[in-house]
């Protein structure tokens, strides 16, 4: 299976963003401060700079599309916080992308079990939503935000328009 030009450009942009991310701008920091409680901001700052920018871009895409639900916007900023439990390297992210693209069923199986050994990146990919939801709940995050974090990688059901919006914006970035 050969990745499409669009998929390849998207992944190369992601790699560049991961390797060149700097601190958030003052405008971005202010947006985060307005939307998140102090405890939630503490979680957000645990994200790598690249993941902070990713989350801010997800937020920006949602706002540009006309979304203003505070729970959705907070979830945009916190959806990947579970990845901070076991940080991913650029190499880990590459292994995940290639593994999922070439062997999606096996990659799903590799995501089961403890985050040890060569399966570690796949386990982090699979379990970061539940870890992030638990971390957010422990920080006092609203139940609706915790639910969106927990389900952000799930297949949406009927009426899951807010979850679909989060996934759409996440997929853009």
């Amino acid at each position: 299976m050969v990745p499409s030009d669009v998929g390849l450009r998207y992944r190369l942009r992601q790699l560049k963003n991961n390797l060149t991310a700097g601190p958030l701008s003052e405008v971005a920091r202010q947006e985060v401060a307005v939307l998140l409680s102090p405890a939630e901001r503490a979680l957000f700052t645990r994200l790598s700079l690249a993941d902070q920018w990713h989350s801010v871009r997800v937020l920006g895409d949602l706002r540009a599309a006309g979304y203003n639900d505070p729970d959705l916007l907070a979830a945009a900023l916190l959806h990947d916080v579970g990845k901070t439990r076991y940080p991913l390297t650029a190499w880990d992210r590459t292994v995940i992308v290639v593994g999922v693209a070439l062997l999606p069923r096996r990659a799903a199986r590799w995501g089961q079990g403890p985050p040890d050994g060569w399966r570690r990146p796949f386990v982090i990919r699979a379990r970061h939503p539940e870890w992030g939801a638990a971390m957010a709940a422990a920080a006092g995050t609203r139940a609706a935000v915790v639910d969106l974090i927990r389900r952000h990688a799930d297949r949406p059901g009927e009426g899951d328009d807010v979850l679909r919006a989060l996934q759409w914006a996440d997929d853009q970035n």
Side-chain angles (χ1 to χ4, degrees):
M1 178 173 179
V2 176
S4 71
D5 285 347
V6 173
L8 182 59
R9 282 194 306 266
Y10 169 78
R11 293 300 178 191
L12 288 173
R13 187 181 79 224
Q14 274 188 323
L15 178 62
K16 177 187 163 271
N17 289 340
N18 280 324
L19 296 175
T20 62
L24 291 183
S25 66
E26 183 60 31
V27 170
R29 282 196 304 278
Q30 289 298 325
E31 283 186 293
V32 170
V34 166
L35 290 169
L36 300 180
S37 72
E40 291 166 337
R41 284 194 305 272
L43 288 178
F44 179 83
T45 61
R46 291 176 59 181
L47 291 166
S48 70
L49 293 175
D51 285 340
Q52 288 180 26
W53 275 113
H54 164 75
S55 296
V56 168
R57 286 191 303 272
V58 171
L59 170 68
D61 283 353
L62 288 167
R63 283 195 164 150
Y67 292 96
N68 59 12
D69 177 282
D71 294 334
L72 173 60
L73 301 181
L77 292 173
L78 295 174
H79 71 279
D80 280 340
V81 75
K83 291 178 181 177
T84 66
R85 184 175 279 187
Y86 300 97
L88 293 165
T89 66
W91 174 250
D92 292 331
R93 292 170 193 267
T94 303
V95 167
I96 292 168
V97 168
V98 172
V100 170
L102 297 177
L103 304 164
R105 281 190 231 124
R106 284 188 186 170
R109 283 195 310 269
W110 296 336
Q112 299 169 6
D116 298 329
W118 66 269
R119 293 179 185 215
R120 179 182 174 279
F122 297 99
V123 174
I124 296 167
R125 176 184 183 267
R127 300 204 43 211
H128 83 272
E130 77 181 77
W131 295 335
M135 293 164 73
T141 300
R142 298 180 303 278
V145 178
V146 170
D147 183 59
L148 284 169
I149 294 168
R150 179 179 294 109
R151 298 185 319 122
H152 83 268
D154 293 352
R155 176 165 284 166
E158 192 69 31
D160 270 342
D161 295 336
V162 174
L163 178 61
R164 275 190 182 82
L166 177 59
Q167 291 174 338
W168 164 79
D170 192 20
D171 288 346
Q172 303 308 302
N173 295 284

